[in-house]
Amino acid sequence: MRLFGVLIVLLFCTVLISFDQKSEEETLIYSYNHPETNQEFNIVHVYKLYDNYEKRIEKDSTTPKERIFEEEVIEPVVEACYQDAEYFERSGKTYSVEPPEDMELVNAIINTIDEEKINNAIKEALIESANYIPSNKATNVCIYPTPYDPDLPQMVTEGTGKISVLYTLFFDEEFLKVGIAHEYHHSVWTEKYFNRENSDTVLDILVLEGKAVMFENIVYPGNSYEDPSYPFLTEYWELVKPELNFYDAYRAYEIIYGGDDLPEDYGYNAGYHLVKAYLDSYTSLTPEEWTELSGEEIYEDGKYIEIY
């Protein structure tokens, strides 16, 4: 009888542990499907794991913070947020986030996060985006509390169906929706057209960003973070034009973010106008149709220079 009692206790404890793990996972990940196509979406609230990280570093002064962060924050979400992601693999498996230097600031960011509002905003943006271009893969959006840095992106597509949101104090629901639409386009383009064996030219990357800006303007007209009315100025294009056929992603993103001799975010707007010039000539194309076009087709057939 005593043995039976011990077995019952062990079984009960096992059930409790299993229940706790399941409850934590359900709280961490909000899952839903497109109401018509059943396309799968998951929102991963990674910031909820930062408490584990903070408690661990307070107790453990011998283990490097990088390792603790990896174990407490990254490892539980690797499958959802990074596994098999094309750009993550290409970067040498470099994560978009690092162990926070200022936990007080990170906790302040976490305290501003309204989970229900974030879920609703991302859910709407993904469904609206999928209405234009569906995906055959699940789309996972992973949210990390991140101190604002003007030199870093605030959202990143890690690869097909893997979007990282580097959530700062400046986020609001509209910014989140537009950014998700932008990154969703990158995600679907990657799913359908990314080729590990090919390198991209500066022109390819400008057009790729331009397509995402065009797409966010279609999904959320008038709410784009980039200004579609930004004027085309020949003096800036003349600086960029000689480099269009270079296979230099670093230079492409220098142009995209701007700075030095170029206005801030110059490449986003230049890319948008490259795509707009093309679509002004081919007005019947759907987002699904123009997404597959190469940078060279967009540039040459769109008569960008003649129009602007």
Side-chain angles (χ1 to χ4, degrees):
M1 290 296 291
R2 287 182 181 179
L3 179 60
F4 179 74
V6 169
L7 290 174
I8 290 293
V9 170
L10 288 174
L11 179 61
F12 180 70
C13 290
T14 303
V15 169
L16 280 179
I17 292 170
S18 175
F19 178 77
D20 287 343
Q21 289 174 341
K22 185 178 180 182
S23 297
E24 182 178 342
E25 184 176 330
E26 287 175 346
T27 303
L28 193 67
I29 301 177
Y30 172 65
S31 301
Y32 60 98
N33 297 85
H34 191 289
E36 296 176 6
T37 66
N38 211 38
Q39 183 175 331
E40 181 184 346
F41 306 105
N42 301 289
I43 303 171
V44 186
H45 294 275
V46 186
Y47 59 87
K48 292 184 177 183
L49 297 172
Y50 279 60
D51 185 52
N52 297 343
Y53 166 74
E54 185 175 20
K55 289 176 179 176
R56 174 102 177 266
I57 60 174
E58 289 173 354
K59 295 178 181 178
D60 186 349
S61 60
T62 59
T63 305
K65 290 183 179 180
E66 292 78 9
R67 180 177 169 187
I68 295 175
F69 188 77
E70 177 95 16
E71 293 174 356
E72 298 295 338
V73 176
I74 299 297
E75 287 182 3
V77 300
V78 161
E79 183 177 356
C81 303
Y82 293 102
Q83 188 168 299
D84 300 324
E86 292 87 344
Y87 306 120
F88 174 66
E89 296 286 343
R90 178 179 274 187
S91 72
K93 298 185 177 180
T94 301
Y95 297 111
S96 300
V97 292
E98 296 179 348
E101 296 291 331
D102 186 344
M103 276 307 303
E104 186 175 346
L105 176 55
V106 165
N107 285 328
I109 295 168
I110 292 172
N111 288 336
T112 68
I113 294 176
D114 185 319
E115 183 177 346
E116 183 177 359
K117 287 183 178 179
I118 284 180
N119 284 345
N120 289 339
I122 295 176
K123 180 177 182 179
E124 177 195 303
L126 289 175
I127 289 175
E128 290 294 331
S129 299
N131 287 339
Y132 288 96
I133 309 179
S135 169
N136 294 317
K137 304 283 187 179
T139 302
N140 299 338
V141 177
C142 302
I143 305 170
Y144 305 86
T146 310
Y148 176 72
D149 184 336
D151 296 324
L152 295 176
Q154 291 172 293
M155 296 189 197
V156 178
T157 297
E158 312 287 357
T160 300
K162 314 284 187 181
I163 297 171
S164 293
V165 174
L166 310 183
Y167 196 97
T168 76
L169 289 170
F170 303 102
F171 271 55
D172 59 28
E173 290 168 79
E174 293 308 312
F175 180 83
L176 192 55
K177 289 177 187 177
V178 172
I180 290 296
H182 183 107
E183 299 303 328
Y184 178 84
H185 188 274
H186 284 326
S187 171
V188 175
W189 182 90
T190 304
E191 174 192 349
K192 297 178 184 294
Y193 307 112
F194 177 81
N195 187 331
R196 294 179 188 274
E197 305 303 319
N198 289 350
S199 297
D200 298 317
T201 63
V202 169
L203 175 62
D204 289 330
I205 295 172
L206 284 176
V207 169
L208 186 62
E209 290 296 342
K211 288 176 180 178
V213 175
M214 175 60 73
F215 186 74
E216 72 185 56
N217 274 280
I218 290 173
V219 179
Y220 289 105
N223 288 317
S224 173
Y225 180 64
E226 306 302 332
D227 182 4
S229 63
Y230 187 90
F232 171 79
L233 298 174
T234 304
E235 61 184 290
Y236 296 128
W237 186 249
E238 290 304 315
L239 297 175
V240 171
K241 187 177 178 181
E243 302 174 311
L244 292 178
N245 292 320
F246 291 1
Y247 289 93
D248 189 343
Y250 181 80
R251 177 55 182 155
Y253 280 99
E254 283 186 331
I255 295 169
I256 285 165
Y257 296 136
D260 293 330
D261 296 328
L262 296 172
E264 183 179 355
D265 290 344
Y266 174 78
Y268 286 110
N269 288 285
Y272 168 82
H273 282 96
L274 281 163
V275 176
K276 185 177 185 300
Y278 184 90
L279 294 181
D280 284 345
S281 298
Y282 299 92
T283 56
S284 64
L285 291 181
T286 66
E288 201 162 12
E289 291 170 328
W290 54 255
T291 290
E292 70 174 305
L293 299 176
S294 70
E296 187 176 4
E297 287 177 282
I298 294 284
Y299 181 47
E300 294 185 357
D301 295 346
K303 302 179 181 178
Y304 179 61
I305 297 301
E306 292 179 30
I307 294 175
Y308 290 103

